[in-house]
Amino acid sequence: MNFPILSTIIFLPLLGSLFIFISNKKNENSSAIYISIFTSMANLLLIFFLWYSFDKSFAGFQFIEEKNWISGLIKFKIGIDGISILFIVLTAFITPICIISCIISVKKRLNEFLIAILILETFMIGVFCSLDLIIFYLFFEAGLIPMFLIIGIWGGHRKIYSAYKFFLFTLLGSVLMLAAIIFIYWAVGTTDYTEIYKLKIAKEYQYLLWLAFFSSFAVKTPMWPVHTWLPDAHVEAPTAGSVILAAILLKMAGYGFLRFSLGMFPIASEFFTPLVFALSIIAIIYTSLVALMQDDMKKLIAYSSVAHMGFVTLGIFTFNKQGIEGSMFQMISHGIISAALFLCVGVLYDRTGSRMIKSFGGVVNYLPNFSLIFIIFVLGALGLPGTTGFIGEFLILLGAFKINYLVAILASTGVVLCAAYMLWMAKRVVFGNANNAVVTKLKDINFLEATILIVLCLVSIIFGFYPEPLLNTMDISVNGIIQNHQNELTVNLINK
Amino acid sequence: MENINLIIPEITLFLGICLALMVGVFFKNSFSIVMKLSILILLGVIYLVLTDWGGEQKIFLDSFKNDKFSDYFKILILVSSIFIFVSADQFIKDKKLNKFEYPIIIMFSILGMFFMLSANDLILFYLGLELQSLALYVLASIDRDNIISSEAGIKYFVLSALSSGLLLYGCSLLYGFTGSTNFDEIGVSLITQNTGAIFAMVFILVGLAFKVSAVPFHMWTPDVYQGAPTSITNFFAVVPKAVGLAIIIRFMDLPFKNIIGEWQTIIIFISIASMILGSVAAIGQKNIKRLLAYSSISHMGYALAGVATGTVSGYTSTIIYITIYIIMNMGTFACIYLMKTDGKYSEKIEDLSGLSKERPMLAFSFLILFFSLAGIPPLGGFFAKFFVFMSVIESEMYALAIIGLLTTVISAFYYLKVIKIIYFDNNKVKFDDDRNLSIKATIFLSCLFLSLYFISPSIIGSLLNELFI
């Protein structure tokens, strides 16, 4: 097919944001709302079409587009495989939900918010499409600008501190990755991922390069001990910002580990596995314990994100099919469920101006529909069978048991702890008596809120019972990654 | 008979200056007519430089050399000077600096720079340098009734004269130890064992480092940036810096090409020191011109990192860097011209607070410019840094690359601070609604270039590819 569908889906949101920018008028945002919804929905449809026409039995990259970019140095190369397509679908699916949620809750400067979200969508889809390391870095970093503005302009009262922390932490991690990418260019002669995959990077370079990439992805994931920016950013960001952050931006790091760390540095990945396992286990147990003690619902969900991403990194570095597919599934599931949880907190916050657990209680008596959905997502987050959360965690633990009992058992405690903090929060917020007179006067969710939450709920349950479409899509690509990894290790052993 | 055609742009510029001077003297209130005439002259000179854009040619006993390298920088300084003239017009009138000497002095300094760029001989080079410096001394203190401006002028004069003296001493040493003032001949006869000439190299490097305000010769920059009127600061930030870098590249590439091991260490040190000091010292600044002064110091550090490689790709990356740096600074200063309340110009960063509500377009321009200065992709400033680090890592200078990349994080902090003030804080000062088209055009062009540069990042590079052949 000659039609450049990937470029279209990358740059369509940018085009939409340009239209909003042009039609921008003060105190007039209906056109911006229509344009943004239209663009994001059109993009979603295009991406569904892409998913439909995607060849699931082909291991390599598809829909490849190549164009001379920096003459003689770097090509603009994009393409997708079974792993990236799922993230693209996730991005395109979450973006309209974010847009609708900010139409509901953002009161000031809505136009700019919509512009920022659409630009962010371009960068996020770009990250998952790029097959050249420089292009990847470009999109990866560019996302910082809109996110910085989203946290800073529409955030809560400590927004400035959080926006700085978010920006500088991520930038610090990424500049080392940039150095590594440039080094790869001179060591291998190209930054084209598919070429590097074939040419292989010499073993002695792999360790330092892996660490440089790790520094970037670990901050973004975020892994313990560089996770501290996430609770701040989540708490202060507006609802839609938190949703994008949790659902997609964190996934860029998981995707990066899977695609680049494993694909390019198999020997170093094997070597550093104990490090990743240790950090993941600490993240799972420590942040779960921290989450237990939170008073702020958003902070609690943020810490639970760190724990869930701990599962993801654990699964990726098991290097077996169950572990990696579980990680992929966990990322998508976390993308849906944490997004929904943030939206639920947003619903309460819009009504009361508070996110504190203690200012609620007995919500079920006054917002029954909301409470039902909220409880479904809480159960999803703790991995109840029948939701996507279960399948991800189950597969990861399965993969972990295959290689290391101790790690698997320690990680399993995380599941219990997750149930503890999630259910305890749900108990204090939803059930019991109302601690606050404000709660008694609340109105239940309106049509728009209900729509987006129910859509998320359905997706979570459908894929929870029938994960086949997702697993099927990623299967061949995941096999390819594992195969490559094992080949490399064997070659390495023979050389020894 | 010498081929006089080579020097026609310089001759035209000189005659043009004389004409403008005459017009200025014999007409009353002649500022605007001299200004228009100057722009015309500069445009004419651009045309002349472009017409004999071509291969390398030397005249006057090989002391004057015209090549693509010098032509490129000549075009660069002419175009940026025209933009400065156009965008600062309103500012000059408001500040009552509209004396006809102003464009004429700037043109004299440009003439000096032309000779510096084309010099292939120490003597011609030094004459050009002095012509440029003298004009710059006057420019720094052109607002002569203002005590800060006069102080800036004196400071610049004393320090610059000292550095010129050191440079001249270096030139004389170089002549003494190599027996020639011609760059090519020095390049041939200069060898590592020639310790005296290495002394000379250090002195010359000190003088040049002063001109580009690299640490540890940066002391004048913040004061002069703050003291001089903004339009002059704009000129100082852009044109002499570009020329200074060009001259450093010239010296390293021609006379000193055999002693690369000696000067490389010095430039690496200067580069790292500038990057670190420029980013750390800017954090506490409250005046936007002072902030830009420190920012320019750190930018010079990055640009010198490209020079430090001593390779053609390194020099090319430096030239790309300085080109994008010029474009960013033109835009930023044009934005500063718009910081005006009730006809009074403001320089305090906090006056920008909440700008995004009152003047969304101006705020958005600041956003693009400052993220670009910080080097965040996909804006132009990122590619400037990218090419520099590309060549630095190619030369396997990993420590320089990693320190440089880490300082970009530090410097991102203070650029973010300005953006924070513009976007996150509440409105305090209301700027006048300016309908000045030329300033807006400058900002627009600069922002457009920076935000669309990612479409074809090799555009400057491919232009430069031929320069060193």
Side-chain angles (χ1 to χ4, degrees):
Chain A
M1 196 162 71
N2 287 325
F3 179 67
I5 184 160
L6 282 186
S7 309
T8 316
I9 60 167
I10 292 178
F11 293 109
L12 186 69
L14 195 64
L15 198 71
S17 66
L18 251 179
F19 274 115
I20 300 181
F21 189 74
I22 293 166
S23 65
N24 197 356
K25 278 184 214 119
K26 256 190 183 171
N27 310 322
E28 155 65 43
N29 41 35
S30 60
S31 64
I33 291 173
Y34 290 128
I35 294 173
S36 59
I37 290 181
F38 175 77
T39 338
S40 58
M41 290 310 279
N43 219 20
L44 182 63
L45 288 179
L46 264 177
I47 285 166
F48 276 143
F49 171 71
L50 185 74
W51 195 12
Y52 171 75
S53 52
F54 177 82
D55 182 1
K56 295 183 182 68
S57 58
F58 179 65
F61 289 97
Q62 308 175 27
F63 303 101
I64 291 181
E65 288 168 34
E66 223 176 323
K67 208 176 142 284
N68 242 342
W69 188 52
I70 302 180
S71 59
L73 291 174
I74 293 147
K75 279 183 180 143
F76 179 83
K77 189 169 177 183
I78 48 178
I80 50 169
D81 69 349
I83 293 171
S84 34
I85 178 84
L86 291 177
F87 288 109
I88 296 169
V89 172
L90 180 69
T91 312
F93 173 66
I94 293 294
T95 311
I97 287 174
C98 279
I99 287 173
I100 295 171
S101 100
C102 51
I103 291 168
I104 299 166
S105 61
V106 172
K107 298 285 179 290
K108 59 167 188 179
R109 299 161 89 180
L110 180 60
N111 294 1
E112 281 103 323
F113 202 123
L114 296 174
I115 292 176
I117 285 189
L118 285 177
I119 291 180
L120 201 54
E121 187 185 9
T122 287
F123 294 150
M124 291 183 301
I125 295 179
V127 163
F128 297 126
C129 286
S130 42
L131 284 185
D132 189 288
L133 294 177
I134 301 285
I135 311 276
F136 171 77
Y137 180 81
L138 211 68
F139 284 124
F140 193 78
E141 281 291 278
L144 290 183
I145 302 177
M147 201 60 212
F148 175 76
L149 296 175
I150 287 177
I151 298 175
I153 300 178
W154 294 276
H157 62 282
R158 277 175 80 229
K159 59 189 185 180
I160 290 162
Y161 170 77
S162 310
Y164 269 72
K165 203 169 174 184
F166 162 76
F167 195 98
L168 295 175
F169 257 67
T170 327
L171 187 64
L172 186 63
S174 310
V175 289
L176 293 176
M177 181 165 79
L178 178 63
I181 290 173
I182 298 177
F183 180 82
I184 290 174
Y185 179 80
W186 293 115
V188 185
T190 175
T191 49
D192 183 341
Y193 173 73
T194 50
E195 292 289 314
I196 298 171
Y197 199 70
K198 278 183 220 137
L199 291 169
K200 316 291 181 202
I201 293 169
K203 190 184 150 197
E204 61 267 28
Y205 298 146
Q206 283 197 11
Y207 301 102
L208 275 177
L209 291 176
W210 188 92
L211 283 175
F213 274 75
F214 179 73
S215 74
S216 170
F217 296 148
V219 171
K220 201 94 181 184
T221 309
M223 293 177 88
W224 184 86
V226 282
H227 65 283
T228 56
W229 63 270
L230 184 79
D232 286 313
H234 266 320
V235 170
E236 300 308 329
T239 307
S242 298
V243 170
I244 287 201
L245 195 59
I248 307 157
L249 290 187
L250 303 190
K251 306 302 174 290
M252 302 200 312
Y255 171 78
F257 273 128
L258 204 52
R259 168 83 71 226
F260 299 107
S261 298
L262 254 59
M264 295 191 304
F265 322 118
I267 298 163
S269 298
E270 186 75 19
F271 179 78
F272 285 111
T273 303
L275 172 75
V276 177
F277 279 0
L279 293 182
S280 306
I281 294 294
I282 295 175
I284 292 171
I285 296 175
Y286 167 78
T287 50
S288 298
L289 290 173
V290 174
L292 267 176
M293 297 315 298
Q294 295 307 317
D295 315 319
D296 186 321
M297 282 191 275
K298 262 190 158 179
K299 220 164 191 166
L300 188 143
I301 301 169
Y303 277 110
S304 89
S305 288
V306 181
H308 281 128
M309 292 309 283
F311 274 104
V312 170
T313 45
L314 181 69
I316 291 174
F317 281 82
T318 58
F319 307 120
N320 55 40
K321 195 174 167 204
Q322 290 80 4
I324 293 180
E325 292 199 350
S327 294
M328 286 286 301
F329 212 89
Q330 174 80 342
M331 281 195 265
I332 290 161
S333 140
H334 179 255
I336 294 164
I337 290 172
S338 69
L341 283 173
F342 279 119
L343 287 171
C344 289
V345 177
V347 167
L348 291 179
Y349 183 72
D350 287 344
R351 285 167 173 66
T352 61
S354 168
R355 295 182 300 255
M356 293 296 153
I357 294 175
K358 65 173 184 295
S359 52
F360 295 99
V363 171
V364 69
N365 300 323
Y366 308 99
L367 293 84
N369 299 339
F370 166 79
S371 301
L372 173 67
I373 294 172
F374 186 56
I375 291 296
I376 290 175
F377 287 122
V378 165
L379 295 177
L382 59 86
L384 186 80
T387 61
T388 47
F390 169 72
I391 293 171
E393 274 177 7
F394 176 72
L395 284 173
I396 291 169
L397 290 176
L398 209 61
F401 265 112
K402 233 176 167 179
I403 57 160
N404 193 329
Y405 280 112
L406 183 67
V407 168
I409 290 166
L410 287 174
S412 311
T413 59
V415 180
V416 181
L417 286 170
C418 177
Y421 61 75
M422 275 295 174
L423 290 177
W424 196 29
M425 176 194 68
K427 178 204 155 244
R428 284 180 291 169
V429 173
V430 177
F431 303 113
N433 296 322
N435 298 332
N436 194 334
V438 181
V439 175
T440 57
K441 292 182 194 108
L442 295 184
K443 285 200 186 86
D444 211 343
I445 42 177
N446 60 29
F447 175 71
L448 270 180
E449 289 166 338
T451 317
I452 54 178
L453 287 174
I454 287 170
V455 167
L456 285 167
C457 195
L458 283 179
V459 170
S460 167
I461 290 172
I462 288 171
F463 287 127
F465 277 106
Y466 186 61
E468 205 49 34
L470 299 182
L471 293 175
N472 197 8
T473 310
M474 65 175 107
D475 201 44
I476 299 260
S477 302
V478 171
N479 277 342
I481 288 180
I482 297 165
Q483 199 63 45
N484 172 61
H485 185 76
Q486 259 143 18
N487 289 347
E488 284 291 298
L489 292 185
T490 337
V491 170
N492 186 34
L493 272 181
I494 293 167
N495 286 347
K496 264 183 188 166
Chain B
M1 182 63 193
E2 301 273 7
N3 183 4
I4 206 84
N5 285 340
L6 277 187
I7 203 169
I8 277 187
E10 282 81 1
I11 294 175
T12 320
L13 184 57
F14 179 69
L15 291 178
I17 296 170
C18 294
L19 178 70
L21 199 55
M22 289 300 159
V23 172
V25 173
F26 287 111
F27 285 82
K28 268 190 184 153
N29 296 333
S30 51
F31 173 73
S32 54
I33 181 164
V34 173
M35 195 64 148
K36 278 173 194 129
L37 189 63
S38 312
I39 292 171
L40 270 181
I41 294 166
L42 293 184
L43 282 173
V45 177
I46 290 182
Y47 171 76
L48 289 172
V49 174
L50 280 178
T51 48
D52 63 29
W53 178 280
E56 183 181 314
Q57 277 175 299
K58 294 173 191 163
I59 46 167
F60 304 137
L61 302 172
D62 289 355
S63 70
F64 188 93
K65 180 166 97 173
N66 222 351
D67 57 1
K68 285 177 185 160
F69 177 78
S70 57
D71 281 349
Y72 178 79
F73 274 97
K74 284 174 187 170
I75 298 284
L76 209 57
I77 58 178
L78 287 171
V79 173
S80 36
S81 304
I82 290 174
F83 270 106
I84 292 170
F85 277 158
V86 172
S87 61
D89 196 46
Q90 187 63 40
F91 176 85
I92 292 287
K93 282 176 189 149
D94 289 346
K95 280 270 179 184
K96 306 228 172 352
L97 294 175
N98 47 352
K99 312 177 184 97
F100 71 90
E101 292 93 336
Y102 159 76
I104 289 171
I105 295 170
I106 285 190
M107 285 201 294
F108 264 121
S109 79
I110 292 174
L111 184 65
M113 290 170 195
F114 268 41
F115 280 109
M116 286 165 81
L117 287 169
S118 284
N120 197 35
D121 188 284
L122 288 175
I123 294 175
L124 186 63
F125 161 71
Y126 190 75
L127 289 176
L129 181 92
E130 277 306 288
L131 179 54
Q132 176 228 342
S133 301
L134 268 176
L136 293 184
Y137 304 148
V138 182
L139 277 180
S141 51
I142 197 162
D143 191 5
R144 59 182 178 223
D145 298 330
N146 182 333
I147 189 152
I148 307 176
S149 176
S150 314
E151 186 196 321
I154 294 286
K155 221 171 236 171
Y156 184 63
F157 171 67
V158 171
L159 289 173
S160 184
L162 182 69
S163 85
S164 295
L166 288 176
L167 198 140
L168 186 60
Y169 185 51
C171 290
S172 66
L173 279 178
L174 200 56
Y175 173 66
F177 280 96
T178 59
S180 171
T181 55
N182 185 284
F183 285 0
D184 302 319
E185 284 171 31
I186 296 173
V188 172
S189 58
L190 192 56
I191 46 168
T192 324
Q193 285 77 21
N194 195 340
T195 321
I198 288 165
F199 265 94
M201 179 270 292
V202 174
F203 279 115
I204 291 176
L205 209 50
V206 168
L208 293 176
F210 179 89
K211 304 290 174 208
V212 297
S213 73
V215 178
F217 311 104
H218 64 283
M219 270 68 157
W220 59 276
T221 324
D223 294 329
V224 174
Y225 266 54
Q226 189 185 4
T230 310
S231 63
I232 307 294
T233 312
N234 191 356
F235 187 76
F236 270 78
V238 169
V239 180
K241 293 267 167 86
V243 176
L245 271 177
I247 297 300
I248 290 183
I249 293 174
R250 226 332 123 67
F251 264 94
M252 299 311 141
D253 192 39
L254 270 180
F256 297 148
K257 68 175 174 228
N258 287 332
I259 51 168
I260 178 163
E262 270 65 33
W263 59 256
Q264 206 169 23
T265 339
I266 302 177
I267 297 217
I268 290 175
F269 169 76
I270 291 180
S271 161
I272 290 178
S274 309
M275 292 191 283
I276 293 177
L277 186 127
S279 12
V280 175
I283 291 173
Q285 300 307 324
K286 306 233 178 325
N287 181 301
I288 192 151
K289 278 156 74 183
R290 260 187 119 74
L291 181 102
L292 284 174
Y294 283 108
S295 131
S296 86
I297 292 173
S298 75
H299 279 293
M300 285 305 127
Y302 297 114
L304 284 171
V307 181
T309 60
T311 58
V312 168
S313 71
Y315 296 148
T316 316
S317 72
T318 299
I319 301 175
I320 297 176
Y321 197 99
I322 192 73
T323 312
I324 295 176
Y325 165 84
I326 287 177
I327 294 167
M328 294 191 287
N329 267 277
M330 297 305 296
T332 315
F333 276 99
C335 287
I336 296 177
Y337 295 136
L338 290 180
M339 289 169 63
K340 188 163 78 166
T341 29
D342 304 328
K344 270 189 149 176
Y345 286 90
S346 146
E347 289 171 7
K348 274 191 280 182
I349 297 177
E350 59 186 71
D351 286 350
L352 287 168
S353 54
L355 186 68
S356 63
K357 280 162 211 151
E358 291 294 322
R359 304 279 297 274
M361 288 311 282
L362 181 59
F364 188 66
S365 314
F366 265 116
L367 181 82
I368 289 180
L369 290 163
F370 273 78
F371 271 123
S372 181
L373 282 167
I376 306 296
L379 300 169
F382 166 72
F383 290 99
K385 290 201 169 76
F386 173 71
F387 287 120
V388 166
F389 288 119
M390 201 79 173
S391 61
V392 168
I393 291 181
E394 185 190 10
S395 311
E396 303 185 342
M397 295 149 88
Y398 303 119
L400 179 61
I402 289 185
I403 293 174
L405 285 167
L406 291 180
T407 52
T408 60
V409 181
I410 305 176
S411 59
F413 179 74
Y414 61 82
Y415 295 121
L416 287 184
K417 209 173 82 175
V418 181
I419 292 166
K420 170 218 134 193
I421 288 169
I422 293 174
Y423 270 87
F424 307 165
D425 287 359
N426 286 324
N427 197 275
K428 281 185 200 145
V429 182
K430 198 170 181 302
F431 289 138
D432 297 353
D433 208 7
D434 215 315
R435 305 216 172 273
N436 192 320
L437 206 66
S438 56
I439 297 180
K440 284 183 179 164
T442 312
I443 300 175
F444 177 74
L445 286 176
S446 155
C447 288
L448 194 72
F449 179 88
L450 294 173
S451 46
L452 294 185
Y453 187 66
F454 76 93
I455 293 175
S456 173
S458 53
I459 186 159
I460 302 178
S462 56
L463 205 70
L464 293 175
N465 263 343
E466 318 160 0
L467 292 190
F468 288 95
I469 299 165

